[in-house]
């Protein structure tokens, strides 16, 4: 039976880039570009709560890092490296090989090498902890408390597919193989908007990544900034997987659906064209979905200008304090 050391050497140790001390010592060492601040974030993923026990391990390796890279993106930071903590109920080598492939492939794509971590056998369910480190110039990070009245509110990509996939897999929606086929990738292989976040640093005001749902995550920005928002539902890009669902289910998926890993951000209306150019450079579609108001409340309007019916429970009134 392989020891923890064998597993680490086989699946997680990779040659470190020049200037970095990677897996193998008591600490990793990595250079920070001169004058930059380090941005760091940790996410913990627990089997049964954050992923289904039978999820494709390669997708899980990808997503474990993707959700952390999404936090760097939401801050406007450039990835520097990451560390990985694993509590393993068993040493299933094909599983570990696939998990590591998904993890390292995304790490390589974003220049975020795995520098170290901790691996332990556990009598409990699988748990995965990833910490990322990034660099951002002082004063340029996209903070939650930086939204200003009059800002345009933007969102990247399209929303709702991951929520639809989750509800189909969980049996909350009736079986629909064609819809699941179109939605599943959004849930299992999210693409963190790292290039967009960096393109917006120093240009956008506030930003957040959508992990818990647009209204809830935007609510964090509004609370931190002491402002409110007015959104137009028909301006929020809905994923194709949402089309044709009952209106209440679609509204829940688009406005309340988690696991989207798109960016919601605010910027001065005068910077509208610069934001579009930055997004085009990053290769990501973005859309204006509303505006920041001084009054601390979220209002969502339907196409007819009336307050949208069927808002997810708890979102019909959303005090910022
Ligand atoms: P220590 O006893 O100092 O904690 P470990 O035996 O836990 O060291 O780890 C040995 C080396 O392997 C360390 O450099 C550690 O960072 C690295 N490591 C352990 N687990 C992982 C993992 N899952 N991914 C990447 N590196 C890991
Ligand atoms: Mg250790």
């Amino acid at each position: 039976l392989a020891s923890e050391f064998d597993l680490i050497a086989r699946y997680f140790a990779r040659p470190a880039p020049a200037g970095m001390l990677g897996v193998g010592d008591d600490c990793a060492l990595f250079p920070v570009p001169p004058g930059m601040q380090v941005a760091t974030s940790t996410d913990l993923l627990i089997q049964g709560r954050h992923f289904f026990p039978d999820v494709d391990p390669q997708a899980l390796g990808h997503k474990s890092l993707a959700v952390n890279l999404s936090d760097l993106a939401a801050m406007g930071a450039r990835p520097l490296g990451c560390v990985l903590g694993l509590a393993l109920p068993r040493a299933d080598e094909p599983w570990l090989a696939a998990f590591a492939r998904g993890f390292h492939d995304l790490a390589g794509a974003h220049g975020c090498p795995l520098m170290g971590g901790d691996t332990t056998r556990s009598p409990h369910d699988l748990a995965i902890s990833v910490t990322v480190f990034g660099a951002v110039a002082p004063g340029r990070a996209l903070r939650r408390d930086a939204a200003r009245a009059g800002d345009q509110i933007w969102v990247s990509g399209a929303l709702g597919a991951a929520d639809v996939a989750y509800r189909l897999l969980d049996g909350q929606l009736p079986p629909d193989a064609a819809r699941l086929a179109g939605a599943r990738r959004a849930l299992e292989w999210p693409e963190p908007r790292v290039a967009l976040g960096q393109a917006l640093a120093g240009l956008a005001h506030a930003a957040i990544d959508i992990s818990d749902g647009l209204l809830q995550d935007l609510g964090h920005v509004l609370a931190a900034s002491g402002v409110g928002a007015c959104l137009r539902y028909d301006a929020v890009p809905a994923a194709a997987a949402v089309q044709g669902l009952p209106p209440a289910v679609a509204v829940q998926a688009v406005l309340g659906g988690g696991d989207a890993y798109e960016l919601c951000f605010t910027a001065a209306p005068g910077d509208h064209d610069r934001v579009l150019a930055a997004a085009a450079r990053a290769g990501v579609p973005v859309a204006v979905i509303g505006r920041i108001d001084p009054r601390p409340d979220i209002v969502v309007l339907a196409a007819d200008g009336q307050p949208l019916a069927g808002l997810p429970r708890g979102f019909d009134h959303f005090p910022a304090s």
Side-chain angles (χ1 to χ4, degrees):
L1 202 66
S3 73
E4 274 86 32
F5 301 107
D6 295 332
L7 296 178
I8 295 163
R10 225 167 277 165
Y11 300 113
F12 298 111
R14 289 286 183 281
M20 176 181 285
L21 181 65
V23 173
D25 214 315
D26 296 311
C27 287
L29 299 172
F30 63 95
V32 180
M36 303 290 263
Q37 286 184 319
V38 173
T40 185
S41 178
T42 294
D43 263 299
L44 194 53
L45 285 90
I46 307 287
Q47 178 178 312
R49 178 165 173 81
H50 300 101
F51 54 90
F52 295 105
D54 60 349
V55 70
D56 169 10
Q58 190 178 347
L60 185 60
H62 170 99
K63 187 166 177 176
S64 304
L65 179 57
V67 300
N68 281 274
L69 287 172
S70 182
D71 284 319
L72 289 183
M75 219 64 194
R78 176 163 73 80
L80 295 174
C82 61
V83 295
L84 167 66
L86 280 177
L88 297 172
R90 67 193 73 82
D92 177 342
E93 296 218 27
W95 191 96
L96 276 171
F99 177 89
R101 194 176 327 122
F103 194 102
H104 287 302
D105 283 353
L106 188 67
H110 289 284
C112 188
L114 179 60
M115 311 184 291
D118 201 23
T119 305
T120 178
R121 305 291 170 101
S122 157
H124 306 288
D125 282 344
L126 175 65
I128 303 161
S129 168
V130 177
T131 300
V132 284
F133 301 92
V136 64
R140 285 172 65 94
L142 304 169
R143 296 167 47 137
R144 294 182 182 187
D145 62 3
R148 299 174 209 163
D151 277 0
Q152 289 180 316
I153 303 170
W154 297 76
V155 72
S156 67
L159 301 181
D163 185 70
V164 167
Y166 176 81
R167 284 172 201 277
L168 286 167
L169 290 169
D170 198 44
Q172 296 178 39
L173 288 174
D176 184 336
R179 195 181 293 280
L180 180 59
R184 192 166 192 155
R185 207 174 161 79
L187 179 66
E188 295 183 345
W189 294 87
E191 278 304 330
R193 300 304 198 184
V194 176
L196 177 63
Q198 287 173 81
L200 293 173
L203 169 59
H205 291 163
I208 194 165
D209 65 318
I210 303 173
S211 53
D212 295 331
L214 172 64
L215 290 189
Q216 182 150 325
D217 289 316
L218 175 60
H220 296 316
V221 168
L222 302 180
S225 300
V227 293
C230 180
L231 302 182
R232 286 185 300 118
Y233 180 68
D234 58 313
V236 182
V242 174
Q243 308 304 324
L245 286 169
V249 177
V251 167
Q252 162 61 41
V254 171
L255 297 182
D259 268 346
Y261 301 106
E262 296 294 348
L263 298 185
C264 176
F265 57 96
T266 82
D271 285 329
H272 178 273
D273 291 355
R274 292 177 67 203
V275 169
L276 283 183
R281 273 204 311 282
V284 181
V286 293
V288 175
I289 61 169
R291 150 195 99 233
I292 297 289
D293 284 337
R295 205 168 67 92
D297 202 2
I298 293 191
V299 178
V300 185
L301 301 179
D304 61 5
Q306 294 302 304
L308 183 72
L311 272 189
R313 273 181 77 82
F315 294 119
D316 42 351
H317 178 81
F318 206 102
S321 51

